[in-house]
Amino acid sequence: MTPAPAAPMLLVTRPEPQASDWVRRLQALGLQARALPLLAVGPAPDPAPLRAARAALVPGALVMFVSPNAVLQSAAAGFFDAAWPAGVRAGATGPGTVQALRGQGVPAEAIVAPGADATAFDSEHLWQQLRHEDWRGRPVWIVRGEGGRDWFAETARAAGAQVQWVQGYARGAARWTPEQQQWLSDALAAPEAHCWLFSSSEGLEHLAAAAPGADWSRARCLVTHPRIAAAAQSLGLGTVDLIGVGVEAVAQVWGQGASIQSAPNGEP
């Protein structure tokens, strides 16, 4: 009897240390996975603005963290050294950021995030939890890398908030080991034997730079947000699947095969 073909290798492209953590958890669920980060995250070049923002927090303020890395790198700069101030809330776009905040001692009641039943974990769904409040004159700090989406800032400002950005971390293209370089070559040579897990539109830009002129038409990827799906389609990936958020969502759709919603080559 001919043996069944091996399941495709999942290539996890999140920044470290999240990529390796995801690989361990996927492997524990019986899936083949490798960490091939597309983004590298490090400390902000100057921690002084972070410390100044921390000292300026007053009751009624909101500090919005755009990702787990925004929390972890802020922590390394001392943002969470003191107890979380009373009356100040921490905004999170998803469960990973919530977990990171809890790990830094932020009380659960001080954290606001999209509901567990949200159709996506992003700035828009975070704002749904906040939009009914009076934001006139209230300070909002957004902790992010250099640049980024302005939707949350513009929306909060339109509601009357006093919005300020602070750089919590730096990001750039990940540096791969020779083994990881080989994994990219393997994925390009045998796209049907691999599946990409994308968590960032910016990461896709770095992938395009790492493999200029590559033919992505037979490649497949899993994504958690329509914006990332659109970026993957722009790169030319042949199959783009929209799935839920988290390791368990990957395991569920990969184990069942059906129930994956493929985005056509156009609008996701």
Side-chain angles (χ1 to χ4, degrees), residues 116-205:
D117 59 347
T119 56
F121 295 109
D122 55 19
S123 297
E124 288 84 346
H125 286 79
L126 170 60
W127 183 253
Q128 290 300 312
Q129 306 295 315
L130 299 165
R131 63 188 181 91
H132 298 296
E133 300 179 29
D134 183 359
W135 287 97
R136 289 174 295 180
R138 291 171 60 183
V140 171
W141 294 87
I142 299 177
V143 183
R144 64 181 189 179
E146 61 274 43
R149 293 183 69 219
D150 291 333
W151 185 91
F152 190 91
E154 292 171 354
T155 302
R157 187 175 288 118
Q162 298 177 348
V163 180
Q164 298 186 63
W165 291 276
V166 60
Q167 184 176 355
Y169 61 95
R171 63 178 185 266
R175 294 185 178 183
W176 291 336
T177 66
E179 183 178 38
Q180 289 172 320
Q181 291 280 2
Q182 184 60 50
W183 292 345
L184 173 62
S185 298
D186 294 345
L188 293 174
E192 68 283 350
H194 298 80
C195 182
W196 296 85
L197 303 182
F198 292 129
S199 61
S200 163
S201 301
E202 183 180 353
L204 279 154
E205 297 175 7

Side-chain angles (χ1 to χ4, degrees), residues 67-79:
S67 68
N69 282 308
V71 177
L72 297 176
Q73 294 298 329
S74 297
F79 195 88

Side-chain angles (χ1 to χ4, degrees), residues 42-103:
D46 181 6
L50 268 173
R51 294 169 182 162
R54 181 64 171 81
L57 295 181
V58 295
L62 172 74
V63 188
M64 189 272 222
F65 296 87
V66 301
S67 68
N69 282 308
V71 177
L72 297 176
Q73 294 298 329
S74 297
F79 195 88
F80 299 96
D81 285 357
W84 189 253
V88 175
R89 281 186 295 174
T93 54
T97 308
V98 170
Q99 182 180 6
L101 287 166
R102 296 291 290 122

Side-chain angles (χ1 to χ4, degrees), residues 223-234:
V223 303
T224 58
H225 198 282
R227 282 193 302 273
I228 307 173
Q233 289 162 351
S234 295

